[in-house]
């Protein structure tokens, strides 16, 4: 992951807006000057309209005309609404392409009208009738068959600022043309719902980037369609469809289209090209229709994985029953008591209802290999059990089904893990759960911005544990006064390649258990207190 600066631009009212505001406040006192100004303005605009084709490039002139002549009622009733009404391309008139390139993270274009795909040329065409609010003098005629009104290029991936990865992303041509019988390709597939085009290239294959650069932006961009939308994917991967199929089914009722391999002409009346992205693993509710937030996204994950998890439980119960039958056939023996009980109730001699104590569940998201593993993990497990946790060590691989990971974390109270892409799974924890992130040397900024801050936004209790030099395997490789140990910031400022080589790919962690115990105690006390409050709220 690459560090980048966030730019917050605050829009100030222009001089013209300020003047308009004053005129409105003083309208009763300045009626005559205002009338004269209005007549002058109408005359000036009329002259501009007549003379514009003589002085401006044809494509620019058409762009002005196409937006000017779109009626307000058409835009309100038929425009593509993409989340926020204040967004420049939230309303698009028929026959136009609107591209917003102001974002630091991604470009996004909206098209409306007669839209047709042409994958062999990486193009999406928007055909216009010659009589549809278009002055033939403004049309750029390249040849008799190709009358181009507007041509936009876009790479539909959400890491716009990162040139190295954007150079690997396929580019799309969005072309508005005059339609005639000679140049309009017939529709092989006619869709009656909008399309969202995006790329699955770049860093796809890393779970952090799959969620941050793909799944969450896809939710932000498409959720307002209420599943009535088709996803058209560049750099399509079958494994990605399988991995995220549960989530995709909650966002779209239609099978996704492989843009590069599907040579058929797909026709749409509306299309969004590119994905909107807000922040690291975040959904900005102020930019969302209905003020939806990252919590709403997590609720969608709940709905997405619930059917599969129920299926897993049924399979396990069936296997347990079959195993029990086999054991009874061999010999009769009492069934073992469960280690814990989640909802068992018992009564004392006076008939007062009591709740049997359940140990809080702690999951250690384990790493293996030569990079950011906890080398004394077995002692950590023992210590957590002594404190009072029921501990599970989870070692997911790239092929581990997400529903299985979700099931474990969704039912847990605390998650511990060393900074890395796997920490993305904190989103599988229920709000008010505890997330303890072990922060190796040289990863403080990334750990906080990529996982700490997003975890708080989700409603988790976040505890960051920054290791000391003696807890790092680098302590045995470098001199005690080396900047690698004493001043990691000076090393990371040299560039991503230094951070990756030294701190991410060559560092393991040996926890100071006496020091780490304090964090575990905090998590345990918090979890117990939360559990007691929940029990008190339950009806007796």
């Amino acid at each position: 992951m690459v560090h980048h600066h966030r730019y917050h631009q605050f829009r100030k009212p222009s001089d013209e807006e300020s003047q308009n505001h004053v005129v409105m406040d003083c309208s009763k006192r300045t009626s005559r000057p205002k009338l004269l100004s209005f007549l002058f303005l109408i005359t000036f605009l009329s002259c501009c309209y007549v003379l514009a084709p003589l002085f401006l490039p044809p494509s620019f002139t058409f762009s002005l005309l196409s937006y000017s002549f779109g009626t307000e009622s058409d835009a309100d009733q038929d425009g593509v609404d993409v989340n926020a009404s204040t967004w420049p391309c939230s309303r698009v008139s028929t026959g136009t392409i609107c591209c917003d390139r102001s974002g630091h993270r991604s470009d996004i274009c909206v098209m409306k009208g007669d839209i047709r795909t042409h994958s062999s040329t990486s193009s999406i065409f928007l055909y216009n009738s010659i009589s549809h609010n278009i002055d033939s003098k403004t049309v750029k005629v390249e040849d008799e068959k190709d009358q181009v009104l507007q041509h936009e290029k876009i790479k539909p991936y959400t890491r716009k600022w990162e040139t190295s990865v954007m150079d690997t992303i396929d580019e799309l041509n969005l072309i508005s043309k005059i339609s005639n019988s000679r140049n309009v390709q017939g529709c092989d597939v006619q869709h009656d719902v909008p399309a969202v085009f995006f790329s699955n290239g770049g860093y796809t294959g890393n779970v952090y980037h799959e969620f941050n650069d793909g799944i969450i932006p896809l939710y932000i961009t498409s959720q307002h369609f209420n599943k009535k939308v088709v996803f058209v994917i560049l750099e399509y991967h079958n494994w990605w469809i399988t991995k995220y199929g549960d989530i995709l089914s909650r966002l779209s009722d239609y099978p996704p289209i492989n843009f590069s391999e599907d040579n058929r002409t797909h026709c749409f009346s509306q299309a969004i090209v590119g994905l909107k992205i807000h922040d690291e693993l975040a959904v900005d509710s102020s930019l969302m229709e209905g003020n939806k937030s990252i919590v709403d996204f997590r609720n969608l994950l709940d709905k997405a994985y619930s059917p599969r998890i129920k299926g897993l439980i049924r399979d396990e119960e069936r296997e347990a029953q079959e195993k029990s039958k086999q054991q009874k056939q061999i010999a009769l023996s009492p069934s073992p008591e469960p280690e814990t009980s989640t909802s068992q109730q018992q009564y004392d001699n006076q008939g007062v209802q009591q709740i049997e104590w359940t140990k809080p569940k702690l999951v250690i998201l384990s790493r293996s290999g030569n990079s950011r593993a906890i080398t004394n993990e077995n002692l950590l497990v023992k210590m957590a059990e002594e404190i009072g946790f029921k501990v599970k060590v989870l070692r997911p691989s790239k092929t581990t089904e997400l529903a299985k990971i979700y099931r474990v974390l969704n039912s847990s109270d605390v998650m511990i893990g060393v900074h890395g892409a796997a920490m993305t799974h904190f989103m599988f924890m229920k709000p008010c759960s505890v997330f303890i992130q072990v922060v190796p040397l040289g990863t403080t900024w990334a750990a906080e911005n990529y996982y700490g801050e997003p975890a708080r936004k989700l409603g988790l209790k976040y505890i960051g544990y920054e290791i000391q030099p003696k807890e790092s395997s680098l302590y045995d490789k470098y001199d005690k006064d080396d900047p690698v140990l004493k001043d990691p910031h000076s090393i990371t400022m040299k560039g991503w390649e230094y951070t990756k080589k030294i701190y991410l790919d060559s560092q393991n962690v040996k926890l100071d258990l006496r020091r780490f115990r304090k964090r575990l105690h905090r998590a345990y006390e918090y979890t117990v207190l939360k559990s007691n409050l929940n029990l008190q709220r339950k009806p007796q």
Side-chain angles (χ1 to χ4, degrees), residues 10-75:
F10 298 93
R11 182 176 177 273
K12 296 181 179 180
S14 64
D15 292 339
E16 183 180 352
E17 288 173 327
S18 300
Q19 290 174 2
N20 290 341
H21 183 70
V22 172
V23 169
M24 289 176 65
D25 290 343
C26 305
S27 59
K28 293 183 180 180
R29 299 180 183 178
T30 58
S31 57
R32 184 175 296 275
K34 180 180 178 182
L35 178 60
L36 293 175
S37 299
F38 178 76
L39 293 174
F40 174 78
L41 180 61
I42 291 297
T43 303
F44 176 75
L45 290 176
S46 300
C47 293
C48 289
Y49 171 68
V50 174
L51 297 176
L54 301 177
F55 297 101
L56 295 176
S59 60
F60 178 80
T61 309
F62 169 72
S63 179
L64 288 175
L65 295 176
S66 64
Y67 284 101
S68 299
F69 283 88
T71 63
E72 184 176 353
S73 59
D74 287 343

Side-chain angles (χ1 to χ4, degrees), residues 1-207:
M1 292 171 286
V2 178
H3 297 190
H4 63 275
H5 298 287
R6 294 180 174 81
Y7 296 94
H8 299 283
Q9 298 179 349
F10 298 93
R11 182 176 177 273
K12 296 181 179 180
S14 64
D15 292 339
E16 183 180 352
E17 288 173 327
S18 300
Q19 290 174 2
N20 290 341
H21 183 70
V22 172
V23 169
M24 289 176 65
D25 290 343
C26 305
S27 59
K28 293 183 180 180
R29 299 180 183 178
T30 58
S31 57
R32 184 175 296 275
K34 180 180 178 182
L35 178 60
L36 293 175
S37 299
F38 178 76
L39 293 174
F40 174 78
L41 180 61
I42 291 297
T43 303
F44 176 75
L45 290 176
S46 300
C47 293
C48 289
Y49 171 68
V50 174
L51 297 176
L54 301 177
F55 297 101
L56 295 176
S59 60
F60 178 80
T61 309
F62 169 72
S63 179
L64 288 175
L65 295 176
S66 64
Y67 284 101
S68 299
F69 283 88
T71 63
E72 184 176 353
S73 59
D74 287 343
D76 289 341
Q77 294 176 9
D78 301 321
V80 179
D81 185 357
V82 187
N83 308 142
S85 59
T86 56
W87 184 54
C89 294
S90 62
R91 301 291 182 183
V92 178
S93 300
T94 300
T96 61
I97 303 173
C98 175
C99 290
D100 180 9
R101 304 185 187 277
S102 63
H104 175 62
R105 294 169 177 263
S106 67
D107 292 334
I108 184 168
C109 295
V110 180
M111 311 171 71
K112 187 181 177 206
D114 184 0
I115 301 166
R116 308 186 184 213
T117 62
H118 195 257
S119 60
S120 62
T121 59
S122 297
S123 300
I124 308 173
F125 291 104
L126 174 62
Y127 290 103
N128 282 272
S129 168
I130 192 67
S131 61
H132 182 69
N133 294 330
I134 299 172
D135 186 336
S136 59
K137 294 181 180 180
T138 69
V139 175
K140 179 182 179 182
V141 181
E142 296 183 355
D143 58 49
E144 188 179 4
K145 295 183 179 180
D146 193 13
Q147 299 176 339
V148 176
L149 307 175
Q150 189 177 357
H151 187 173
E152 303 284 349
K153 293 179 180 288
I154 183 173
K155 294 185 175 184
Y157 190 63
T158 55
R159 298 190 77 81
K160 172 184 171 181
W161 78 93
E162 196 171 344
T163 305
S164 59
V165 72
M166 291 303 291
D167 287 342
T168 69
I169 303 299
D170 292 343
E171 187 174 62
L172 281 175
N173 297 288
L174 312 184
I175 302 173
S176 175
K177 302 176 68 175
I178 294 296
S179 63
N180 58 60
S181 58
R182 291 170 297 183
N183 71 347
V184 177
Q185 182 71 30
C187 297
D188 295 317
V189 184
Q190 180 70 56
H191 300 271
D192 59 0
V193 296
V196 172
F197 292 76
F198 63 95
S199 173
N200 251 342
Y203 292 127
T204 299
N206 175 293
V207 68

Side-chain angles (χ1 to χ4, degrees), residues 488-516:
H489 181 67
S490 66
I491 304 298
T492 59
M493 288 299 291
K494 292 181 178 180
W496 169 248
E497 63 275 13
Y498 288 90
T499 301
K500 186 176 188 301
K501 180 180 178 181
I502 297 173
Y503 296 116
L504 297 181
D505 294 343
S506 305
Q507 179 177 198
N508 284 325
V509 174
K510 185 177 181 180
L511 293 174
D512 181 341
L513 296 179
R514 182 175 299 180
R515 182 168 168 254
F516 193 77

Side-chain angles (χ1 to χ4, degrees), residues 301-315:
L301 296 184
D302 250 347
K303 296 175 182 177
Y305 291 123
S306 179
R308 175 57 179 153
I309 291 173
K310 289 179 180 177
L312 291 171
I313 294 173
R314 286 194 298 268
D315 292 342

Side-chain angles (χ1 to χ4, degrees), residues 415-454:
M415 183 182 93
I416 297 175
V418 181
H419 169 71
M423 294 303 95
T424 306
H425 294 114
F426 77 78
M427 292 189 299
F428 294 2
M429 302 285 290
K430 290 180 179 178
C432 296
S433 300
V434 181
F435 169 33
I436 302 177
Q437 180 177 204
V438 177
V439 184
L441 298 180
T443 65
T444 302
W445 186 93
E448 169 61 23
N449 286 273
Y450 294 143
Y451 304 111
E453 183 180 344

